[in-house]
Amino acid sequence: MTATGPTRTADAERGTLDKAADENFPVAPFFLPKAWRTDLMAVYGFARLVDDIGDGDLAPGGADAHLLGVSPEEADDRLVLLDAFEADLRRVFDGTPHHPLLRRLQPTVRRRALTPEPFLGLIAANRQDQLVARYETYDDLLAYCELSANPVGRLVLAVTGTATPERIRRSDAVCTALQIVEHLQDVAEDLGRDRIYLPAQDMKRFHVQEPDLAVPTAGASVRALVAYEAERARGLLNEGTPLVGSVHGRLKLLLAGFVAGGKAAVRAIAAAEYDVLPGPPKPGRIQLLREVGTTLRGEG
């Protein structure tokens, strides 16, 4: 390793983990036990890095590609990077990974007896993003969320030792809803990446065409479509809300924050009259805290 190697490695790790502060939801809030925070941050580092690879948002300089053994000539090929990342992930379970974020993950995997499947699902979702830019049906979108969102909730339950089949089912509903809400908030940004996560069948039903999504302000048809998808997300959040009441202590507060964040985001979209094109409607802090309280009381 060159003299600058350790610095590049540390920068690559720190730059990814620092993004936790900008996420919609707290990744490892202070009120959780330290052991949980450590392991949740390790899982976050994996999830954030794989998303950055898939979105082309890696830090400049090629440090991550170098760490994964990808040549400079292929450092901009996202599929090559994802393949190399998957190979390094597998070393977490049967060897010594190369990337520092995966080395950080290895003790968590061993402590919590985590399996490769949820991690592989997140990689598969980002690989799919390189190959699929449109979704024909709502069921197609749900299948994508099964890869892109649901593994995160399953990992949280696994890290906290609270996974049961019923909790996993409820968690999947919450995570899918949060993914749909994020897609609704980011319609314009996703279109800039040539991706549309609004099902084509629903667009046809509401007489929405792709150029209708590329204007500064949404017309009536786009607003009706967004309202329809937001209601679907609300239904999934309601389906998943009993997950909060099934656990206790500080985990209950964490899960209430996830559910409440989704519900508050749906309310923010509604408050914007379903016009998501100028930018993502986001709830204020007071609205979010109100939703947390309602969720904890089991009223939501």
Side-chain angles (χ1 to χ4, degrees):
M1 184 173 285
T2 66
T4 59
T7 300
R8 290 180 68 195
T9 298
D11 288 347
E13 183 177 12
R14 186 167 52 249
T16 299
L17 294 176
D18 284 349
K19 294 182 181 181
D22 299 325
E23 299 292 344
N24 288 333
F25 304 97
V27 173
F30 70 92
F31 57 78
L32 294 180
K34 183 178 179 181
W36 285 6
R37 295 202 310 271
T38 296
D39 289 338
L40 289 173
M41 281 303 296
V43 168
Y44 171 78
F46 169 89
R48 181 68 270 164
L49 183 56
V50 73
D51 278 354
D52 285 349
I53 293 172
D55 290 338
D57 287 338
L58 291 175
D64 292 296
H66 175 74
L67 289 164
L68 293 171
V70 175
S71 69
E73 293 74 25
E74 294 184 300
D76 292 327
D77 189 322
R78 299 179 195 178
L79 288 172
V80 169
L81 285 167
L82 288 168
D83 288 347
F85 192 58
E86 180 175 331
D88 210 26
L89 169 69
R90 294 186 184 279
R91 295 185 192 101
V92 170
F93 295 89
D94 62 12
T96 302
H98 300 158
H99 199 286
L101 288 171
L102 293 182
R103 290 199 296 271
R104 174 189 285 256
L105 179 65
Q106 194 167 46
T108 293
V109 164
R110 291 173 176 170
R111 257 194 308 271
R112 307 298 180 181
L114 303 182
T115 63
E117 285 74 22
F119 300 103
L120 291 171
L122 294 172
I123 293 174
N126 279 276
R127 192 176 281 121
Q128 186 166 313
D129 274 335
Q130 314 313 310
L131 305 172
V132 180
R134 307 289 189 275
Y135 290 85
E136 181 62 27
T137 69
Y138 182 61
D139 284 344
D140 292 338
L141 184 64
L142 292 182
Y144 170 73
C145 293
E146 179 69 24
L147 298 173
S148 68
N150 298 0
V152 176
R154 295 183 179 206
L155 285 166
V156 170
L157 293 177
V159 163
T160 57
T162 54
T164 66
E166 178 64 10
R167 285 178 180 147
I168 289 172
R169 186 179 73 82
R170 301 285 189 184
S171 172
D172 285 353
V174 172
C175 290
T176 292
L178 294 177
Q179 181 77 89
I180 291 172
V181 169
E182 183 177 343
H183 289 329
L184 294 179
Q185 291 175 315
D186 294 341
V187 168
E189 179 182 333
D190 289 335
L191 187 64
R193 300 179 187 270
D194 192 32
R195 298 176 187 167
I196 296 178
Y197 294 100
L198 298 165
Q201 278 190 357
D202 297 342
M203 291 177 64
K204 292 173 187 174
R205 173 180 175 180
F206 286 92
H207 309 290
V208 172
Q209 298 181 341
E210 290 192 17
D212 298 327
L213 305 177
V215 296
T217 301
S221 295
V222 171
R223 292 177 191 234
L225 170 60
V226 171
Y228 178 72
E229 306 298 352
E231 191 56 35
R232 278 176 155 167
R234 191 198 311 273
L236 285 168
L237 286 167
N238 289 337
E239 181 182 339
T241 296
L243 172 66
V244 177
S246 77
V247 299
H248 304 283
R250 287 174 279 187
L251 179 59
K252 184 171 186 174
L253 183 57
L254 178 69
L255 298 183
F258 292 152
V259 172
K263 291 184 176 181
V266 171
R267 288 186 186 274
I269 291 170
E273 298 180 340
Y274 303 102
D275 184 5
V276 296
L277 298 187
K282 294 189 176 180
R285 183 174 178 80
I286 292 176
Q287 179 63 53
L288 179 56
L289 291 174
R290 186 178 295 126
E291 288 288 352
V292 170
T294 298
T295 302
L296 286 171
R297 292 191 299 271
E299 300 170 4

